Amino acid sequence: GHTYRRTPDLAFWFPPAGEGVASSPHDKWLRQRRLLAPYFKASTERRLTGITTAEADRLVERLAKVADSGEVDVQAMVMETTLRIAVQHLLVRPFPVEPAPISEAIQTAMHYATPGRAIKYRILGPVNRKLAKRALHPAPKRAALRVLDDFVDDLIDIARKNPDSRAPLM
């Protein structure tokens, strides 16, 4: 039987999230899960452990450098580290650019895909369309998606020009 079901919360997320591993219906989810499984098996554990260890060390060094500088956005630094690990393990290695703009673009795009944002727009829109547009203007989303599109194009170019840089999923 089907043990994986999309919850009502996930069904709400589906339109902006697309049909990824977390949001696909069972049959598609199973195909995607099987496609990704080889990259998370014990045989790739050493590779992933090496990347993760190197990136964790890098994070600790970065934190040590900014420890006395006042306020530090640890969440952003951890997200950048996670992004660097995922890209290097699955797509290309080494990580090709400064991760902060990519991480920021991901956070912006995710902000536009949250159910709360959609609910606010649905409630605020009919009451005050001008205020709704100002509060939920699509320009930051479009800018973030351009950054992400350019990043993906760069990853593909790097992989084409240097086959040795390719990670398994690329």
Side-chain angles (χ1 to χ4, degrees), residues 45-61 81 84-85 88-89 93:
E45 185 177 314
R46 190 174 312 131
R47 173 187 162 76
L48 182 56
T49 300
I51 293 168
T52 304
T53 300
E55 290 302 328
D57 290 345
R58 182 180 178 279
L59 175 61
V60 169
E61 287 175 22
T81 300
R84 290 176 60 91
I85 291 167
Q88 292 179 90
H89 179 59
R93 189 170 183 197

Side-chain angles (χ1 to χ4, degrees), residues 91-126:
L91 301 172
V92 296
R93 189 170 183 197
F95 194 84
V97 297
E98 170 58 36
I102 310 305
S103 177
E104 186 177 317
I106 290 169
Q107 289 178 343
T108 299
M110 288 174 65
H111 178 70
Y112 279 85
T114 61
R117 189 172 184 82
I119 290 167
K120 285 177 194 170
Y121 187 78
R122 287 183 190 150
I123 292 170
L124 189 57

